[in-house]
Amino acid sequence: MRILGIDPGTRVAGYGLIDKDTNTNQVTIFDAGIFTMNSKDSIGVRLADFMDKVNELILVHEPDTIGIEQPFVGKNVKSAFAIGESRGVVLICAAKHAIPVAEYSPKQVRSTVVGHGSATKEQVAKMLKMQFPNLIEGLELDATDAIAVALCHMYLV
């Protein structure tokens, strides 16, 4: 099973791709990184750029399913709305390719991967490094968050 995890954003978005061998239950992280959109561009241009990047990722890696992080509203409602817009892009891309999507709260992702929902991005990255020693050193936190979303999806499906 191939799972694409997405940590959405309108300036920076993370992605992580994992494979789970259904015979051995071995999990492999085989691609992860970030998409950077030009913050000087309008929101529409950034979302179109993000859509192109997500579509390309789907075409190249052909995931069976996608896990996506829900926005955390907290104190910055404007930021939550922007993340919601980028989530919409992922949902549209998935629908165009007939790929099922599951959504997880940041607390649910962190609780599943680290063991407690109040874990920081740095703690998530540290836990992933412990579980997957070959994980690329220096991987951006948005990418490790996306891997965590993919793993959460794998554990909960």
Side-chain angles (χ1 to χ4, degrees):
M1 175 190 303
R2 181 163 288 178
I3 302 170
L4 170 59
I6 299 278
D7 182 22
T10 57
R11 286 183 228 147
V12 177
Y15 67 90
L17 282 141
I18 64 172
D19 269 335
K20 178 182 178 188
D21 184 319
T22 53
N23 295 323
T24 65
N25 285 331
Q26 183 174 349
V27 177
T28 306
I29 298 169
F30 69 91
D31 193 11
I34 60 168
F35 296 131
T36 304
M37 283 63 73
N38 188 341
S39 61
K40 294 179 182 177
D41 287 339
S42 69
I43 187 68
V45 170
R46 285 182 291 178
L47 290 172
D49 183 26
F50 183 49
M51 182 179 294
D52 291 343
K53 292 172 179 180
V54 172
N55 270 321
E56 179 69 18
L57 196 62
I58 289 171
L59 290 170
V60 169
H61 294 295
E62 300 177 339
D64 299 306
T65 185
I66 297 173
I68 188 168
E69 193 169 75
Q70 296 171 334
F72 174 72
V73 176
K75 295 179 182 177
N76 193 340
V77 175
K78 185 177 178 183
S79 176
F81 278 123
I83 291 170
E85 291 169 336
S86 66
R87 286 178 61 252
V89 165
V90 176
L91 295 172
I92 290 167
C93 291
K96 284 179 65 176
H97 296 279
I99 301 171
V101 177
E103 303 174 63
Y104 303 97
S105 71
K107 186 173 186 172
Q108 189 176 18
V109 171
R110 293 171 183 177
S111 180
T112 302
V113 174
V114 179
H116 61 91
S118 60
T120 65
K121 285 179 172 275
E122 291 80 10
Q123 289 171 320
V124 170
K126 185 176 179 179
M127 181 62 77
L128 289 175
K129 185 67 177 166
M130 289 171 46
Q131 291 175 345
F132 301 94
N134 295 330
L135 189 64
I136 301 165
E137 196 67 40
L139 201 57
E140 295 87 353
L141 294 177
D142 291 304
T144 55
D145 273 0
I147 293 168
V149 172
L151 288 169
C152 176
H153 186 53
M154 180 194 73
Y155 292 134
L156 298 180
V157 170

